[in-house]
Amino acid sequence: MEKGVERWAVDISEWNPTSHQFSFALSLLPQHHHSSITRFVKMEDRKRALVSRLLQYALVHQVLGIPFHQIIIKRTIEGKPYLEYDEVDLEFPNFNFNTSHQGDYVAIASEPLCLVGLDIVSPVIPGKETILEFVRNFSQYFSAWEWDCIVNAGTSDEILVEFYRYWSLKEAFVKAMGTGLAYRLDNVEFRHTNWTNIYVNMNGEDKNEWRFWLSELGKGHLVSIARGHPRLAAESYKRTLKRVDFGDEEYHLGLHLPNASFKLQTVEQLVSVQGRADYGIPTDNKVHRFEADEVVDGEI
């Protein structure tokens, strides 16, 4: 199952397409995705939306071997993307993925059995407020213990980074389940040892069916991964999964698979492989396997 654990990221600041190049990349996606990309006014937002979808199709194609034209990706009513397919791969009994983008990075993570949630944050200093004023806007989403850790983290910059660490983990948690931020986040308390061995406590009870990782992605960006039990998914997302019930031994195996490092891809790599596949142009194994330029393993 380990091959189903993938982590890819793209630095979109390194991609400055002409209008023709952008249109060509967009044309590689099914028509129903186009309006959700072109609705954005700013080019940076369009790039993030486009690259997010290119990553989804490329990852599904590579991991599951589904031809691009047969890949069907939809969204739940809460907006969580999922793959619609009939066959259950015994090696990947519950393949699912999640995407995130902020700042310069767009990323995707996949899991073969467990739910996966992904969130990127870029600790940006607010423009019209002080850092303390900014983080206080979100105080109701943290437990008393978390809030104490945040406001006592040190300097203003350290407070901001600490805030975003906790916030990223909470986002990854709810994104894994597909519930959205309507979830009572103040009841979700994250504990850790110097940001390793991260676990979640809810209403005074440690939840051992979850695992979490927080790492540095690059240029000050942080990324969180959540891995949890499929039976905990929101009902709308649970209906898209192939299986939600697993025996303790099988689930333990999926929960404790090694967490993969992020592989940095380029838009040119994603476009090249998908474009070649769409037009029936043979690809050698090096291109087909998306040889990564760099591997990011910045555990905090």
Side-chain angles (χ1 to χ4, degrees):
M1 286 197 297
E2 210 170 311
K3 291 188 294 183
V5 180
E6 288 286 346
R7 313 283 188 253
W8 296 1
V10 174
D11 181 350
I12 62 165
S13 71
E14 296 182 354
W15 186 48
N16 297 295
T18 64
S19 59
H20 175 74
Q21 289 169 333
F22 187 91
S23 296
F24 176 73
L26 182 65
S27 72
L28 299 176
L29 295 172
Q31 186 67 37
H32 68 268
H33 286 301
H34 291 196
S35 62
S36 62
I37 296 169
T38 58
R39 67 185 177 90
F40 292 105
V41 175
K42 294 182 179 179
M43 176 54 75
E44 290 304 300
D45 293 328
R46 289 188 174 196
K47 283 164 57 176
R48 292 185 186 99
L50 173 59
V51 172
S52 175
R53 286 157 180 80
L54 288 173
L55 279 169
Q56 293 171 45
Y57 280 83
L59 186 140
V60 167
H61 172 68
Q62 176 163 313
V63 176
L64 298 182
I66 302 174
F68 282 104
H69 69 277
Q70 294 181 18
I71 296 173
I72 301 174
I73 294 176
K74 297 183 177 181
R75 288 179 177 265
T76 66
I77 192 171
E78 292 86 2
K80 184 174 174 69
Y82 66 92
L83 175 67
E84 186 175 86
Y85 64 115
D86 295 327
E87 296 182 6
V88 177
D89 190 320
L90 295 179
E91 187 179 3
F92 309 126
N94 221 23
F95 182 79
N96 70 117
F97 57 86
N98 198 216
T99 61
S100 182
H101 55 75
Q102 190 175 33
D104 289 341
Y105 287 95
V106 182
I108 188 169
S110 68
E111 287 287 332
L113 186 152
C114 298
L115 299 176
V116 62
L118 169 68
D119 190 63
I120 298 173
V121 291
S122 176
V124 177
I125 299 175
K128 297 181 180 180
E129 299 174 293
T130 67
I131 288 174
L132 282 175
E133 288 172 340
F134 171 73
V135 299
R136 284 190 181 121
N137 294 328
F138 302 89
S139 61
Q140 70 269 28
Y141 298 112
F142 298 94
S143 71
W145 184 86
E146 289 173 329
W147 186 247
D148 187 64
C149 291
I150 292 169
V151 296
N152 292 297
T155 65
S156 293
D157 288 345
E158 289 168 333
I159 288 172
L160 186 66
V161 171
E162 193 79 351
F163 160 79
Y164 274 115
R165 285 170 176 160
Y166 282 105
W167 185 258
S168 178
L169 285 166
K170 289 174 184 276
E171 286 261 18
F173 174 72
V174 297
K175 288 179 69 179
M177 296 184 291
T179 59
L181 288 178
Y183 204 88
R184 282 290 304 273
L185 292 181
D186 56 318
N187 289 335
V188 180
E189 181 177 276
F190 284 96
R191 298 269 181 159
H192 57 87
T193 305
N194 295 323
W195 294 108
T196 62
N197 302 317
I198 302 169
Y199 64 95
V200 66
N201 182 287
M202 297 179 64
N203 300 314
E205 181 182 353
D206 294 346
K207 298 298 182 180
N208 297 322
E209 64 266 48
W210 286 93
R211 294 192 72 194
F212 300 91
W213 294 268
L214 175 69
S215 58
E216 294 181 359
L217 191 55
K219 297 192 286 187
H221 294 65
L222 304 172
V223 60
S224 290
I225 295 283
R227 181 188 282 171
H229 202 295
R231 61 178 168 78
L232 301 173
E235 287 302 318
S236 63
Y237 189 56
K238 192 180 294 184
R239 290 192 292 269
T240 74
L241 301 173
K242 295 303 174 187
R243 290 176 60 190
V244 295
D245 295 316
F246 294 91
D248 291 343
E249 184 176 347
E250 187 176 12
Y251 181 66
H252 186 272
L253 177 63
L255 182 63
H256 292 279
L257 288 170
N259 183 43
S261 300
F262 274 88
K263 303 170 186 175
L264 291 184
Q265 314 289 351
T266 66
V267 177
E268 288 78 11
Q269 286 171 313
L270 302 178
V271 168
S272 173
V273 174
Q274 189 159 339
R276 285 168 176 257
D278 281 351
Y279 291 102
I281 304 172
T283 61
D284 60 32
N285 191 55
K286 180 177 180 181
V287 177
H288 180 72
R289 292 294 301 172
F290 298 102
E291 290 291 316
D293 293 333
E294 184 179 351
V295 174
V296 179
D297 187 12
E299 193 89 5
I300 294 176

